[in-house]
């Protein structure tokens, strides 16, 4: 979802979060049209050089985003536990597929590292520890709820509101599609799925992404990419 935040943050900083659902819904509709028109196959036109640059850039973005976690851990005097659990998770992600692919190795690594951190009572940062006070108060009642449909309708029928959010919506649509299709292209090239007779993974990925983003928007979320 980080790729969505970049253009969305400019909108929310200047005009608040009330325009966020309309922005994400418009973006999701454009993604849906892209998928229905079967334009996902345009990813095949991307050269290997561009694909390599995209993956390297994405890798650096992820690296820098994680660096702040370890800086905070060092400041809190918990660098060794943080590095240890991260290393354990990384090892599981890399080595478990050599034994079995029945379950996603990243999910296993996350569960094992989290569980071990809890059992050993390591001083690790959690969502609860870094979120504002009261974020998780109330249990299930804190889960997202349906947005104000009346307010959404008034915005959706306002030309000014649509003109306001459209630049961000178009940016989100393009960024999410590019990341989804290019990442999917890498997986397809590695697995050889393009050789199958029923190959339509990119189209299904786009349709799934747009559907998920629509649902997220109606629950007050900001979606993401595939």
């Amino acid at each position: 979802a980080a790729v969505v935040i970049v253009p969305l943050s400019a909108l929310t900083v200047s005009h608040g979060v009330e325009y966020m659902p309309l922005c994400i819904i418009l973006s999701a509709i454009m993604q849906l049209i892209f998928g229905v028109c079967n334009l996902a196959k345009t990813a095949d036109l991307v050269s290997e050089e561009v694909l390599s640059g995209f993956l390297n850039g994405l890798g650096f973005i992820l690296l820098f985003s994680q660096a702040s976690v370890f800086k905070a851990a060092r400041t809190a005097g918990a660098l060794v536990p943080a590095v240890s659990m991260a290393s354990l998770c990384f090892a599981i992600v890399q080595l478990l597929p050599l034994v079995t692919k029945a379950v996603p190795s990243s999910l296993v690594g996350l569960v094992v590292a989290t569980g071990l951190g809890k059992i050993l009572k390591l001083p690790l940062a959690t969502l609860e520890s870094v979120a504002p006070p009261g974020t998780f108060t109330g249990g299930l009642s804190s889960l997202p709820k349906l947005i104000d449909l009346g307010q959404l309708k008034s915005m959706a029928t306002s030309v000014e509101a649509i003109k306001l959010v459209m630049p961000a919506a178009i940016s989100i649509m393009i960024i999410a599609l590019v990341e989804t299709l290019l990442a999917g292209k890498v997986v397809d090239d590695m697995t050889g799925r393009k050789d199958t007779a029923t190959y339509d993974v990119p189209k299904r990925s786009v349709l799934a992404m747009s559907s998920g983003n629509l649902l997220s928007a109606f629950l007050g979320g900001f979606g993401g990419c595939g």
Side-chain angles (χ1 to χ4, degrees):
V3 295
V4 174
I5 287 297
V6 177
L8 185 62
S9 61
L11 175 67
T12 56
V13 166
S14 58
H15 296 91
V17 297
E18 58 267 23
Y19 289 99
M20 187 174 73
L22 177 61
C23 178
I24 299 301
I25 288 173
L26 289 175
S27 175
I29 291 174
M30 289 186 285
Q31 293 166 6
L32 182 64
I33 295 173
F34 187 92
V36 170
C37 293
N38 202 25
L39 297 176
K41 58 187 177 182
T42 55
D44 290 334
L45 301 176
V46 179
S47 67
E48 293 299 323
E49 290 79 10
V50 172
L51 193 59
S52 177
F54 160 76
L55 291 175
N56 287 326
L58 182 60
F60 276 113
I61 291 174
L62 294 174
L63 177 65
F64 293 145
S65 69
Q66 294 300 302
S68 61
V69 175
F70 293 103
K71 288 180 181 178
R74 183 178 62 183
T75 303
L79 182 60
V80 173
V83 172
S84 299
M85 291 301 99
S87 300
L88 173 62
C89 189
F90 178 78
I92 293 174
V93 169
Q94 296 299 318
L95 299 178
L96 184 61
L98 301 178
V99 179
T100 178
K101 295 182 179 180
V103 291
S105 59
S106 56
L107 179 60
V108 174
L110 179 64
V111 171
V112 171
T114 301
L116 190 59
K118 288 283 188 181
I119 293 173
L120 299 178
K121 297 182 179 180
L122 298 177
L124 301 172
T126 64
L127 285 176
E128 187 174 9
S129 67
V130 299
T135 300
F136 298 98
T137 302
L140 294 179
S141 63
S142 64
L143 291 175
K145 298 177 178 61
L146 194 66
I147 61 174
D148 186 341
L149 297 181
Q151 183 183 36
L152 175 64
K153 181 180 178 180
S154 64
M155 288 185 177
T157 54
S158 169
V159 176
E160 290 300 320
I162 293 178
K163 287 172 61 178
L164 178 67
V165 304
M166 189 58 75
I170 293 175
S171 297
I172 291 171
M173 180 267 293
I174 294 174
I175 293 172
L177 282 172
V178 168
E179 178 154 350
T180 299
L181 293 177
L182 291 189
K185 187 176 187 297
V186 174
V187 175
D188 296 336
D189 290 342
M190 292 175 64
T191 59
R193 276 189 291 188
K194 288 185 177 181
D195 299 330
T196 62
T198 58
Y199 176 76
D200 61 350
V201 174
K203 179 179 179 179
R204 285 185 291 165
S205 296
V206 172
L207 294 177
M209 175 180 65
S210 61
S211 302
N213 285 341
L214 272 174
L215 178 60
S216 175
F218 279 107
L219 292 174
F222 51 84
C225 68

